[in-house]
Amino acid sequence: VQLQASGGGSVQAGGSLRLSCAASGRNFSSNGMGWFRQAPDKEREFVAGINWSGATTYYLDLVKGRFTISRDNAKNTMYLLMDSLKPEDTAVYLCAARVNGDAMGPYEYWGQGTQVTVSS
């Protein structure tokens, strides 16, 4: 599985962005998928995850109610809609995929990151 993230950019606090993660290869619809982020001088953290069907989602407490993860298996694409952005959301956002169909657990495949910068 190869993953390509896009959609990052610079916005003011309170703004919105939608990230996309396009996957190539077989079996996208059977993979659990997730978004992670890494800010300068901080460890990478899990942001949101979605199971193979899209029926089950998970979120970092800090983003609950502001971020929405979704997927379109027909388009081999996962999304992260980020609303009410805060400066502390500034980070490189990475998408990842699991061989397993649920979203919790080790991720085997990683895409490159897309930068999100939120100014106050």
Side-chain angles (χ1 to χ4, degrees):
V1 177
Q2 292 184 320
L3 305 170
Q4 179 79 32
S6 61
S10 297
V11 296
Q12 290 191 326
S16 298
L17 283 173
R18 189 179 79 156
L19 306 183
S20 298
C21 176
S24 60
R26 299 183 301 172
N27 302 322
F28 171 82
S29 61
S30 66
N31 298 128
M33 301 288 295
W35 288 99
F36 292 75
R37 67 186 182 187
Q38 187 161 19
D41 299 323
K42 292 187 177 180
E43 293 190 355
R44 185 172 61 195
E45 65 180 353
F46 172 84
V47 175
I50 188 166
N51 80 324
W52 66 275
S53 68
T56 305
T57 57
Y58 305 89
Y59 294 94
L60 176 70
D61 284 348
L62 291 172
V63 306
K64 281 182 180 177
R66 299 189 297 121
F67 290 11
T68 304
I69 189 171
S70 61
R71 66 189 295 162
D72 185 339
N73 286 344
K75 295 182 178 180
N76 279 14
T77 304
M78 173 180 66
Y79 305 97
L80 185 68
L81 176 61
M82 305 185 293
D83 293 322
S84 302
L85 282 162
K86 303 177 181 180
E88 50 265 43
D89 295 319
T90 295
V92 174
Y93 283 71
L94 306 101
C95 60
R98 300 190 66 216
V99 171
N100 195 290
D102 64 53
M104 301 305 289
Y107 279 74
E108 292 88 3
Y109 305 101
W110 293 85
Q112 93 300 346
T114 186
Q115 176 71 45
V116 172
T117 303
V118 185
S119 58
S120 57

